[in-house]
Amino acid sequence: MDARAAAPHERTPAAAWHALAADAALAALDAPAGGLSAAEAARRLAHYGRNELPPPPRRSAFARFLAQFDNLLIYVLLAAAAVTLSLGHTVDAAAIVGVVLINAIIGFVQEGRAERALAALQGMLAARATVLRGGERHEIAAAELVPGDWVLVAAGDRVPADLRLLRARNLRADEAALTGESVPVDKSVDAVAADAPLAERSPMLYAGTTVVFGQGMGVVVATGSATELGRIGALVSGVTELATPLARKLDQFARRITAFIVVGCALAYVYGTTVQDFGAVDLFLALVGLAVAAIPEGLPAIVTITLAIGTQTMARRNAIVRRLPAVETLGSVTVICTDKTGTLTKNEMTVVQVVLPARTLAVSGSGYAPEGGFAHDGRAIDPTADAQLVEFARCALLCNDAELRHRDGEWQLVGDPTEGALLALALKAELDADAERKAAPRVDEIPFDSELRLMATLHHDHRGHARVYLKGAPERVLELCVTAADGHPLARPYWERALAQAAGAGRRVLALATAEFAPGTVALSIDDLTPRFTLLGLAAMIDPPRPEAIAAVAECRAAGVRVKMITGDHAATAAAIGAQLGLAAAQPLTGPEVEALAEAQLAARLAATDVVARASPEHKLRLVMALQAGGEIVAMTGDGANDAPALKRADIGVAMGKKGTDAAKEAAEIVLADDNFASIANAVREGRVIYDNIKKSLLFVLPTNGGQAGVILLAVLLGLALPVTAAQILWVNMVTTVTLALALAFEPAEPDVMARPPRAPAEPLITRPLASRIVYVSVLMVAAVFAAFEWELAASGSLAAARTAAVNMIVAGELLYLFNVRHFIESSWSRETLTGNRIALAVAALLALLQAGFTFAPFAHLLFGTAAPTPGTWVVIGALAVLLFGAVEAEKAWLRRRGMQRM
């Protein structure tokens, strides 16, 4: 072999093979007739490597566990634990470390489920391939293919590598997973323009696609990561995953609260040593208590548990979460970029219109299910009483090689999607498929040919009569017709107008015709196809939108979420589907425009249209990045390998679980088990609920922590004994996190959850109204705790009892404040406040038991230095808790009068 053939990949760019004639491609690859010799194949295998995609990088379990500690709040907690331990407070230190470990274990287990060892793109490659080597046919492992191999393919085969076709007989391939094209593509050996888009490269078969009809032979031009499929894999691995909005905001919050705690403790230390003349060691211990009080050590666990509960709720609604923070992100999206084929549509061609002589019938129903009917001018008709429709449907049934099977409650197609649509039409016309085939068995046929652009079948009726049924491209069939089904001569202008209208609406059109042949005819040839046929009508079909997707898109738009359809399909088809979905589809953007437009121009076009057609993986990726550059939070939904890079780059990727490729699932954060776009609306709703509940948790945890820290800070500033110790504060934080704060994770949706616009991407986690509430409640909590502390100290003279009273005041205040927090602005003076979240009542009872043990159990007296307060103090604590509840409700009423609707 010529040494120049050692690197055909490098010498001939992959994008140019479709522009080379077959002979030129063979010459460039140094691929002799009869295939490579075994020795040359082995040499090329050593040079190029196996026809496999590199597996995605995976973190070790230990690395995943360590990653759970990579959070600034956790660093602060660990530092507090280390300082506490160095001061001899073993119980305090152990409790802090325990909280950190629990949080880490929860995150580790969830991520372990998410990072399963999926060889997604590898699973799309064929396991075996039929090749010519040394003039002989062999079946080999697809991984052993090399550039220059001659490969044979037939209907049903998955293409094992990128092939330049050398021979093609009636060859069609399903490239939906790669290009988004919903209809199988005709293939030929003729070269096309070098700048032809991927979906129009007819002399190429691409790895991972499927041959649905015919036979062919091609020469391998690319293997492994050099294939189009491999290029998508490289795009995926090269895409930077963005932090989710929640992760970004929690990180920002952690930095701010850390800075606040450090600065506050430093200022308190300077003040205590210079103004109050505290001892350095005593003051340092007090400030450790301040830090423990201020740090919301339970917050990471609360957020993780809230997200985990959200994953269970979404799973019940057919949305499987692969990464925890993605649960919340769906609730914050401002734009959903969705693929068309199989996502908004069923990926099932459907005849929606039948054009007969002098009239046009609308066909209802979608997909391959034989459910629906026919209407003329809005009025239903009986198909069995319409002779023209019956004969049209008979032709659709008999000149057809597809099968529809009803399995597991679904209609499944075996064969070509176009023929499946015609078969479903015949069944809607109430034809009995078995009876029709027995009454007019097929004698001979002319299979569909991409050059002839038609298919013909010969049938007899058991009495010697012969009839041919014909279907194909309208312009080709019209050439063969002389009359129409009404018996009049063919009126071409009428049919051409109908054809133009259907094509303009983005529909694929087939013409159906029939002719009687001489009695006893048993063979059919191309020469028999002469102008002698009767045109039965036109079938206009489309891959229609899912009915539930139309409603889901409307719901998303009502919630302020824009929906953009990005597809590899033709612009006319995309615009037609977009209009049916209620999208801005009058001026669809196309892939070539995406390449040519500058950033500012692209942003302007995206603002004006919701439909993008003829989009390649790079186009989808650029579109997502352009939207993100404009400040949008972007969700990308899809089911094909061509969606994977954009799925990974988007703020959240949503893949289809049934018909979605493994590549799309691997790149996505959420997988829809039912392949239903309507589940997106449910997921958006659930995401908003989860974000609300996380904010409610913050609104609960921060004022209580702030109140505890304020108590210690005020004691330091005034030179008083600490009303609570660090160990007691940690007890409060732990038990209220396990009980009260956790109850907020089960909060139902606020009434306006899907009636309000999405949060502004720049909106901080702690908004100004939220911060005001936090400060307000913190001040109330400090006042109530000091009142209870001083009351018990005056009543009993016991510092231990006074501190126990202070701790119980904190807990009682938090218990009633929990019911304040259940609604941001709405009043909590209602029965629903108690009954709307039964988990809250259960955990309130649990907290009462825990607090009784803390107050009265002897071991608690030893561990926490507690003592039972006097009976009168319990009355004071209860009264102060009710006053605190009422004060928060008064602030809510004031906000409502000012017209505030959300925090």
Side-chain angles (χ1 to χ4, degrees):
M1 290 288 174
D2 192 329
R4 291 174 300 173
H9 278 315
E10 294 84 353
R11 191 174 62 257
T12 306
W17 291 110
H18 56 277
L20 291 180
D23 291 343
L26 289 173
L29 291 161
D30 197 5
L36 303 175
S37 67
E40 176 61 15
R43 187 186 71 78
R44 295 194 185 189
L45 185 63
H47 177 78
Y48 294 112
R50 293 172 65 81
N51 180 32
E52 296 172 333
L53 299 178
R58 300 285 175 183
R59 291 185 299 173
S60 67
F62 183 66
R64 282 195 291 109
F65 184 71
L66 289 182
Q68 308 306 315
F69 299 92
D70 188 16
N71 180 287
L72 192 55
L73 268 180
I74 300 299
Y75 297 156
V76 175
L77 285 172
L78 292 175
V83 173
T84 305
L85 183 63
S86 69
L87 295 174
H89 293 252
T90 307
V91 173
D92 296 357
I96 296 173
V97 171
V99 169
V100 172
L101 284 175
I102 289 170
N103 178 69
I105 290 169
I106 291 173
F108 174 75
V109 170
Q110 186 64 28
E111 283 197 12
R113 293 172 180 172
E115 294 193 7
R116 295 182 300 272
L118 297 175
L121 289 168
Q122 286 182 323
M124 293 187 68
L125 288 176
R128 308 289 293 177
T130 303
V131 299
L132 288 180
R133 284 189 176 171
E136 298 179 351
R137 181 179 298 203
H138 298 274
E139 186 177 278
I140 65 171
E144 296 176 5
L145 287 174
V146 296
D149 264 327
W150 290 46
V151 177
L152 292 87
V153 292
D157 288 348
R158 177 162 284 176
V159 181
D162 284 2
L163 308 178
R164 171 54 170 95
L165 286 171
L166 306 175
R167 290 204 301 267
R169 177 172 174 77
N170 304 325
L171 189 64
R172 276 181 278 174
D174 181 355
E175 297 181 341
L178 196 64
T179 67
E181 178 69 62
S182 57
V183 177
V185 181
D186 292 327
K187 295 295 180 178
S188 69
V189 299
D190 298 329
V192 296
D195 60 353
L198 189 66
E200 296 176 6
R201 297 176 187 174
S202 57
M204 299 294 298
L205 285 177
Y206 291 108
T209 62
T210 304
V211 176
V212 297
F213 197 84
Q215 298 175 333
M217 177 184 291
V219 62
V220 175
V221 298
T223 59
S225 57
T227 62
E228 283 292 325
L229 187 64
R231 186 175 60 81
I232 292 175
L235 281 174
V236 174
S237 63
V239 170
T240 303
E241 291 191 65
L242 300 182
T244 66
L246 179 63
R248 291 195 293 266
K249 289 172 182 177
L250 284 175
D251 184 60
Q252 182 186 57
F253 171 74
R255 289 196 301 271
R256 289 181 177 177
I257 199 171
T258 300
F260 177 79
I261 292 169
V262 171
V263 172
C265 287
L267 292 175
Y269 185 84
V270 171
Y271 179 85
T273 55
T274 58
V275 177
Q276 295 292 350
D277 198 27
F278 272 103
V281 175
D282 290 340
L283 181 58
F284 193 77
L285 284 171
L287 293 178
V288 167
L290 174 61
V292 171
I295 295 171
E297 64 270 7
L299 186 59
I302 293 169
V303 171
T304 302
I305 292 169
T306 302
L307 292 173
I309 291 170
T311 66
Q312 296 172 5
T313 303
M314 292 179 72
R316 289 194 294 270
R317 296 190 170 202
N318 295 309
I320 300 167
V321 178
R322 299 183 66 247
R323 298 181 183 92
L324 262 187
V327 181
E328 172 275 335
T329 312
L330 259 180
S332 67
V333 296
T334 57
V335 176
I336 297 176
C337 294
T338 173
D339 185 45
K340 175 183 72 69
T341 306
T343 306
L344 289 168
T345 68
K346 300 183 71 171
N347 197 16
E348 297 177 356
M349 294 297 290
T350 304
V351 177
V352 295
Q353 191 178 66
V354 172
V355 181
L356 300 174
R359 59 200 172 112
T360 298
L361 305 182
V363 186
S364 60
S366 64
Y368 300 133
E371 299 167 357
F374 302 85
H376 180 233
D377 290 338
R379 291 194 294 182
I381 66 170
D382 179 5
T384 61
D386 191 316
Q388 291 180 5
L389 178 57
V390 168
E391 190 63 13
F392 180 91
R394 183 173 288 118
C395 178
L397 172 67
L398 297 178
C399 187
N400 198 315
D401 290 327
E403 288 184 44
L404 289 177
R405 299 172 182 171
H406 194 252
R407 291 179 178 174
D408 302 324
E410 294 184 354
W411 286 89
Q412 300 175 357
L413 171 69
V414 179
D416 181 84
T418 300
E419 292 198 319
L422 291 173
L423 188 53
L425 171 86
L427 298 180
K428 289 176 185 177
E430 302 182 25
L431 293 187
D432 184 323
D434 291 337
E436 292 289 338
R437 289 168 181 151
K438 288 178 182 177
R442 185 184 300 184
V443 177
D444 198 8
E445 66 183 78
I446 298 176
F448 180 86
D449 185 280
S450 56
E451 293 183 5
L452 285 175
R453 294 184 296 160
L454 55 77
M455 172 185 179
T457 55
L458 173 64
H459 303 261
H460 68 71
D461 62 359
H462 303 289
R463 294 189 300 274
H465 301 123
R467 178 171 291 277
V468 171
Y469 288 109
L470 179 75
K471 74 170 187 287
E475 58 274 17
R476 183 72 179 92
V477 174
L478 285 172
E479 293 174 355
L480 301 176
C481 294
V482 292
T483 59
D486 58 2
H488 294 105
L490 187 70
R492 288 186 66 98
Y494 166 80
W495 296 102
E496 288 170 352
R497 281 196 305 272
L499 177 60
Q501 289 173 356
R507 295 167 180 167
R508 187 180 187 194
V509 183
L510 288 181
L512 280 67
T514 186
E516 285 193 25
F517 273 51
T521 302
V522 295
L524 186 65
S525 69
I526 295 175
D527 293 337
D528 295 321
L529 302 182
T530 59
R532 58 193 294 185
F533 284 81
T534 296
L535 182 64
L536 298 173
L538 304 178
M541 60 189 73
I542 200 166
D543 181 14
R546 299 171 180 263
E548 60 271 25
I550 297 174
V553 169
E555 185 175 10
C556 287
R557 296 184 68 180
V561 180
R562 293 192 66 186
V563 178
K564 293 191 177 293
M565 185 176 74
I566 305 175
T567 177
D569 221 332
H570 293 279
T573 303
I577 295 295
Q580 292 180 53
L581 288 163
L583 303 179
Q587 296 179 318
L589 184 64
T590 64
E593 289 181 86
V594 173
E595 288 183 6
L597 292 174
E599 296 299 328
Q601 294 171 313
L602 180 58
R605 286 286 280 122
L606 282 173
T609 185
D610 292 332
V611 176
V612 183
R614 292 321 239 176
S616 70
E618 292 90 346
H619 298 151
K620 295 184 180 185
L621 192 54
R622 188 185 178 204
L623 290 165
V624 170
M625 294 172 68
L627 289 166
Q628 289 172 332
E632 305 285 1
I633 302 271
V634 181
M636 172 72 188
T637 74
D639 63 349
N642 61 330
D643 298 322
L647 283 171
K648 187 176 180 183
R649 172 68 196 195
D651 294 278
I652 181 166
V654 184
M656 302 297 119
K658 279 186 177 180
K659 295 182 181 177
T661 61
D662 287 343
K665 295 174 193 175
E666 177 69 13
E669 284 81 14
I670 292 177
V671 178
L672 299 183
D674 60 353
D675 282 14
N676 196 333
F677 184 84
S679 296
I680 296 290
N682 291 333
V684 168
R685 176 187 177 87
E686 189 61 31
R688 291 187 175 192
V689 171
I690 289 166
Y691 190 80
D692 279 354
N693 289 349
I694 289 173
K695 289 188 73 170
K696 288 176 182 178
S697 297
L698 287 171
L699 193 56
F700 176 79
V701 170
L702 296 183
T704 55
N705 281 53
Q708 295 164 31
V711 166
I712 294 176
L713 182 61
L714 188 60
V716 170
L717 293 177
L718 298 178
L720 304 175
L722 295 180
V724 288
T725 66
Q728 290 170 345
I729 288 172
L730 200 59
W731 162 263
V732 172
N733 288 355
M734 281 203 307
V735 297
T736 55
T737 294
V738 170
T739 57
L740 302 182
L742 183 58
L744 293 171
F746 296 91
E747 274 295 298
E750 294 278 330
D752 66 340
V753 69
M754 287 300 280
R756 63 192 188 215
R759 306 183 304 276
E763 179 183 286
L765 194 62
I766 307 297
T767 60
R768 184 172 296 179
L770 209 65
S772 299
R773 172 79 59 82
I774 290 168
V775 172
Y776 177 63
V777 176
S778 296
V779 171
L780 293 176
M781 193 73 73
V782 169
V785 170
F786 262 102
F789 175 78
E790 293 296 337
W791 179 280
E792 176 60 31
L793 194 60
S796 66
S798 168
L799 181 60
R803 283 176 170 168
T804 305
V807 170
N808 278 287
M809 181 66 248
I810 293 172
V811 171
E814 291 187 13
L815 179 57
L816 289 191
Y817 179 57
L818 171 70
F819 294 96
N820 290 124
V821 171
R822 287 203 57 230
H823 301 294
F824 290 115
I825 301 295
E826 288 187 13
S827 173
S828 294
W829 294 108
S830 67
R831 179 181 179 135
E832 188 276 336
T833 300
L834 290 176
T835 61
N837 184 347
R838 296 188 178 183
I839 299 294
L841 294 178
V843 298
L846 175 61
L847 178 61
L849 291 174
L850 292 172
Q851 201 58 28
F854 171 84
T855 303
F856 299 109
F859 75 87
H861 295 168
L862 294 174
L863 284 175
F864 299 105
T866 58
T870 60
T873 302
W874 291 109
V875 176
V876 172
I877 289 172
L880 289 172
V882 172
L883 285 174
L884 190 149
F885 179 88
V888 175
E889 288 305 307
E891 184 247 5
K892 285 188 189 179
W894 178 70
L895 291 176
R896 289 196 300 272
R897 282 196 298 271
R898 292 183 59 196
M900 184 173 290
Q901 297 180 345
R902 57 181 297 194
M903 299 192 75

